[in-house]
Amino acid sequence: MKAKAVEKLVLGMISTITVLVVALLITILAVLFVKGYPALHSGFLFEESRDFGRAGGVLYQSAGTLILMITAVLLSLPVALGSVLYQTEYLSSGKLKTFLMQLTYILNATPTILFGLVGYLFFGVYLDAGVSWVTGSLILAVMILPTLQVSIREAVEGLPEKYREAGMVLGLTRSAQIYRIILPQCFYGIVTGIFLGLARVAGETAAIMFTATTFSGIQLPQSYSDPVPTLQTHILILAQEAVNPESLAQAWGAGLVLIGLVFMLTLVAWAFRTRMVMESEL
Amino acid sequence: MKLSYKKNFSNCFSGQAHLEPLAWIFALMNLIFVTGAMGLGVFLLVQSLPIMKAEGLDFWLGENWWVGETYGALSMIVGSLMVTALAVTLALPIALSAALYTSEYLSPSLRRGVKGVMELLAGVPGIIYGLLGISFLAVTVKESFNLLYGNTLFTAGCLLAIMILPTVLTLAEDALHAVPIEYREVAEGLGLSKLQTALRVVVPQASSGIVGAILLGIGKAMGETIAVLMVVGSLDRIPGWNLFVSGQTIPSKLGREAAEALGSGLHWSALMGLGLTLFFMVSILTYSGTRFTEWSRR
Amino acid sequence: MIQFENFGAAFGERKVVQGLTCHFPKNSITAIIGASGKGKTTLLRVLCRMNDCIENFRIEGNIFIDGEDIYQPDTDVYALRRKVGMIFQNPCVFPKSIFDNVIFGVKDIARISKKEYPDRAEKVLREVFLWDEVKDRLREKATTLSQGQQQRLALARTLAVEPEILLMDEPTSSLDPKSTSAIEELTQSLKSRHTILWITHQHEQAQSVADRVLEFTDEAVNPLRPVAPIMKTERPSPLKNVLRKVQTFSE
């Protein structure tokens, strides 16, 4: 009898906790929406910011974020794809494979600010790119390397063996196996990785705030050595320095745009992941 | 009956990989990856050598960080450990019990809903949490504890707890849910109640995944820069046992001063030394996590 | 054509085949029968070196195809696999069009020009009696075909590469009776140009399809009985009994 009462008590506790957690997190989403919505007037996305961010929109900030996102993924993708395929298709030493996997995990867990520090020194100082969008993109490209690698590896290793074997018995060479079977069959997995990578870059602030971005005075970068304004830096500066409510309202608006972007990318990634699972079950 | 064997597809082809152009391209990409990953650690190490020479052990044991004079990282290290410990203490019991309930008791559709919200929230940028932190949490802390200033170590710890909650929850839930249904059926067949089954059979089976989730959460809390920077108060001092004062963590210090010190000088080297310290702390967590997974698989 | 000499195979410590010496002449159909896990599939897979990718797999002895040892370090495995085609138990078609599936293996052979693809496809699809069923829908996805059609498509894809040897690993076990008899029938017509090894669990099928039978038994020391030609009218009765046992066991 007593055991049953205890069980009921524990169950009641953990169910309450679950409900509270879900409620808390949904509240956070709701707050973001409620606080950000008032700032979103019709031109918020298509106007430049004025009065040090007190008025106007976030056109160039959004553009800067997009520039960094896209160049970072374009730079990172070939390296991620190549290194994963080298590890799965060419490398036969198990020890080396384990070591490289370990390296991916460590890189994945490394605090993003460290990418900023080291990346600035290497790309910004040694390669002389300065505080610029190029430096930022390179830093972010290294940062999302493990994200892309993990997704691509998942897709390549999850490829049903029958496809590989069917290709093998037809006498396909290793390269043909890669570009005729593995790449087409893993297409959705690779796209999933790309979108997860984009989402991760879109949310990153620490690695780029002092290496690639600026708050005001610049619109679109004119050369490779120009910094860009981004949504992330915009929010940071407005939220930290602002004394007036207009600036803070603008920060919330920019936050809502940023989170909308991240959520959209994540949802697209999920859609492709579902597609991948469906294809592999054929 | 079909037996499954461990396969290594790289062995299935003619042995002349070095004649394939693709092999060279991929090897180059792999080299870039390895150089990038190793280079990060090597750079941190090399760049922090000057401060190690100048300060020696005092770099880690010194309390004073006066730019231009002396660099002691102790207050940042203690701040990082305290904030992380607080975040983990707050988040773990909640995340793990919610994970257990979600995996073992919720209907499939509800479970998918909870998982969806958690995974979306796990991707919310740190800057957004920072914004929430200064607008609500810091104010709440200030008012409810009658403080002059709401940006404290306690605020940062609470904010981090909320931040790592979805990650730990969803990863721990994955581990619990991956335990085959047969284990539960056998255990319940032996007369164990559902909760006993969950605690005595499912949780031990999923332990390596749960530990992995916890370590990832700790690592994330330890390395978070932006959100902490916005609410921690950024004051370099050893807080003692009082959490309700402003403090500093390693990442927040790096975020504050990197822009001033950019590039050269002992100040920069000191920041790299801080970075190296953080890198080691997180790498040890990650490494022990993967070792634990290997060990528990045996 | 194919010669095993004192051949053995093992997965780590577990030996599946030991001390096998036998010969498969050109243009013959040999049925391979025996219980599961006795090394039938292994015997087929080593012929196109498909087991190279299994860790800890090793062989001993020699295998010769047309007098050449296929496990020499400088063996061109790609040429070997084009010479030795294999059909698996479960048909595997790529999620592409029927036409692309048929010419999948041909595309990498330089000496066949792109213009020849349609003719080649038609020729092999006719050989597997699939042409009439698919000639109007060559651009449709191959995954829309039935299991039996998919298996014949897989066979056509293999034939398009013009292998000399065909290895069939229980090719009909997942198929309906109609497709089964279609495959059995077309195998007979392939005999004139190919050497065929056919794994099966059904001794009726072995009897009707093959000229000769190789049986894997439970005996630990020498798990193999010599290759013996089956006379269609009379067969040694002990073998028949063993076959029955195998059959009931597998069902």
Side-chain angles (χ1 to χ4, degrees), chain A residues 7 25 90-91 102 161, chain B residues 7 10 20 30 121 193 290:
Chain A
E7 173 145 2
L25 297 175
Y90 286 90
L91 207 59
Q102 201 77 254
E161 229 165 67
Chain B
K7 298 206 174 178
S10 52
E20 297 172 33
N30 203 47
L121 274 156
S193 74
T290 48

Side-chain angles (χ1 to χ4, degrees), chain A residues 3 6-8 10-11 14-15 17-19 21-22 24-26 28-29 31-32 35 78-94 97-122 125-126 131 142 145 149 161 164-165 168 172-179 199 202-206 209-211 231-233 235-237 239-240 248 251-252 254-256 258-259 262-263 266-267 270 273, chain B residues 5 7-17 20-41 43-44 47 93-95 97-102 105-106 114-121 123-132 134-136 162 165-166 169 193-196 199 216 219-220 222-226 229-231 251 254-256 258-259 262-264 268 271-272 274-276 278-279 282-283 286-287 290-291 294:
Chain A
V6 171
E7 173 145 2
K8 241 185 175 163
V10 173
L11 198 60
I14 65 174
S15 60
I17 288 172
T18 311
V19 172
V21 166
V22 175
L24 170 75
L25 297 175
I26 290 178
I28 290 178
L29 292 182
V31 166
L32 284 173
K35 292 290 260 183
V79 178
L81 199 58
S83 57
V84 168
L85 288 175
Y86 188 76
Q87 289 168 37
T88 57
E89 307 303 314
Y90 286 90
L91 207 59
S92 54
S93 150
K97 275 186 190 176
T98 320
F99 167 73
L100 291 169
M101 289 268 274
Q102 201 77 254
L103 217 54
T104 302
Y105 290 139
I106 288 185
L107 202 63
N108 196 29
T110 302
T112 55
I113 181 95
L114 297 183
F115 289 98
L117 285 177
V118 176
Y120 178 75
L121 197 66
F122 187 74
V125 178
Y126 293 168
V131 176
V142 181
L145 205 48
Q149 279 180 331
E161 229 165 67
R164 285 170 177 275
E165 298 214 319
M168 243 155 74
L172 258 60
T173 61
R174 178 165 14 206
S175 328
Q177 182 95 357
I178 289 169
Y179 62 78
E204 179 54 32
T205 315
M209 62 184 176
F210 57 93
T211 60
L231 288 171
Q232 298 97 304
T233 317
I235 301 168
L236 179 67
I237 304 290
Q240 288 227 292
L248 205 57
W252 284 108
L256 192 57
L258 184 65
I259 206 137
V262 173
F263 281 4
T266 314
L267 290 174
W270 289 357
R273 186 162 58 193
Chain B
Y5 304 103
K7 298 206 174 178
N8 184 345
F9 287 104
S10 52
N11 293 337
C12 311
F13 303 95
S14 283
Q16 308 123 342
E20 297 172 33
L22 266 186
W24 285 99
I25 298 171
F26 290 168
L28 177 70
M29 294 304 160
N30 203 47
L31 190 69
I32 295 177
F33 156 61
V34 174
T35 319
M38 307 267 281
L40 189 80
F43 248 75
L44 282 172
Q47 290 286 316
I94 297 174
S97 34
L100 190 71
Y101 190 74
T102 309
Y105 290 93
L106 281 187
V114 173
K115 294 281 286 180
V117 176
M118 292 305 143
E119 280 176 36
L120 270 186
L121 274 156
V124 170
I127 181 82
I128 303 284
Y129 281 108
L131 194 55
L132 286 163
I134 50 171
S135 307
F136 297 103
I162 297 173
L165 194 57
L169 199 164
S193 74
K194 200 162 181 181
L195 186 68
Q196 283 171 325
L199 291 177
L216 200 86
K220 212 179 155 187
M222 207 172 257
E224 175 57 35
T225 307
I226 277 298
L229 177 135
M230 289 166 86
V231 298
L254 293 173
R256 280 274 172 238
L262 275 187
S264 55
W268 176 259
L271 289 180
M272 287 304 225
L274 273 182
L276 185 70
L278 180 65
F279 184 70
V282 175
S283 296
T286 315
Y287 186 70
T290 48
R291 288 315 291 266
E294 277 167 30

Side-chain angles (χ1 to χ4, degrees), chain C residues 16-46:
Chain C
V16 283
V17 184
Q18 226 173 344
L20 170 69
T21 300
C22 62
H23 177 73
F24 300 90
K26 207 171 168 69
N27 297 347
S28 65
I29 302 182
T30 308
I32 301 173
I33 54 174
S36 295
K38 289 283 167 292
K40 302 192 300 296
T41 300
T42 306
L43 194 71
L44 256 54
R45 287 174 63 98
V46 292

Side-chain angles (χ1 to χ4, degrees), chain C:
Chain C
M1 182 83 198
I2 307 172
Q3 176 78 37
F4 284 91
E5 269 182 19
N6 204 17
F7 171 77
F11 295 96
E13 295 301 303
R14 201 171 70 85
K15 291 190 167 157
V16 283
V17 184
Q18 226 173 344
L20 170 69
T21 300
C22 62
H23 177 73
F24 300 90
K26 207 171 168 69
N27 297 347
S28 65
I29 302 182
T30 308
I32 301 173
I33 54 174
S36 295
K38 289 283 167 292
K40 302 192 300 296
T41 300
T42 306
L43 194 71
L44 256 54
R45 287 174 63 98
V46 292
L47 280 173
C48 46
R49 294 194 43 178
M50 288 292 284
N51 274 1
D52 288 13
C53 57
I54 296 179
E55 283 186 358
N56 298 323
F57 179 79
R58 56 193 167 80
I59 66 155
E60 44 197 50
N62 299 96
I63 308 168
F64 297 97
I65 294 181
D66 288 339
E68 270 181 59
D69 188 340
I70 60 166
Y71 273 87
Q72 287 299 314
D74 61 342
T75 303
D76 181 352
V77 293
Y78 306 131
L80 173 72
R81 287 178 190 148
R82 281 201 285 268
K83 190 169 170 178
V84 185
M86 184 161 177
I87 305 293
F88 300 102
Q89 190 169 359
N90 294 309
C92 168
V93 298
F94 297 103
K96 295 167 174 275
S97 76
I98 294 171
F99 180 75
D100 283 339
N101 263 281
V102 179
I103 58 159
F104 197 88
V106 182
K107 272 191 171 168
D108 282 308
I109 306 173
R111 65 190 153 78
I112 298 172
S113 76
K114 210 168 177 176
K115 272 185 244 155
E116 292 174 56
Y117 290 170
D119 292 342
R120 177 66 67 99
E122 181 176 344
K123 182 178 151 245
V124 291
L125 283 173
R126 280 189 193 281
E127 275 182 337
V128 300
F129 310 131
L130 199 60
W131 179 250
D132 291 330
E133 293 162 54
V134 301
K135 64 181 175 197
D136 302 322
R137 42 191 282 217
L138 287 174
R139 297 288 158 199
E140 280 176 39
K141 276 223 168 190
T143 40
T144 59
L145 295 173
S146 72
Q147 280 285 96
Q149 288 171 321
Q150 288 191 15
Q151 189 64 300
R152 278 181 281 157
L153 184 61
L155 187 54
R157 187 175 63 199
T158 308
L159 290 175
V161 190
E162 299 186 321
E164 292 169 32
I165 298 164
L166 268 183
L167 310 172
M168 326 245 298
D169 187 357
E170 298 186 46
T172 61
S173 68
S174 61
L175 303 187
D176 57 283
K178 188 167 160 277
S179 307
T180 304
S181 54
I183 290 202
E184 286 173 0
E185 199 181 321
L186 74 92
T187 309
Q188 293 301 324
S189 66
L190 296 175
K191 192 177 137 184
S192 57
R193 278 180 291 120
H194 305 272
T195 307
I196 298 170
L197 271 65
W198 178 306
I199 295 180
T200 179
H201 270 150
Q202 296 158 291
H203 81 276
E204 282 88 356
Q205 192 174 46
Q207 188 186 351
S208 66
V209 171
D211 316 323
R212 302 147 19 98
V213 86
L214 174 67
E215 192 199 357
F216 283 53
T217 66
D218 276 329
E219 289 160 42
V221 185
N222 179 16
L224 284 175
R225 293 194 181 180
V227 176
I230 299 184
M231 309 311 289
K232 297 269 165 165
T233 43
E234 68 168 323
R235 222 155 7 95
S237 53
L239 181 63
K240 199 173 182 178
N241 286 336
V242 175
L243 283 170
R244 267 218 191 95
K245 266 185 217 153
V246 168
Q247 199 186 1
T248 39
F249 179 74
S250 69
E251 285 163 3

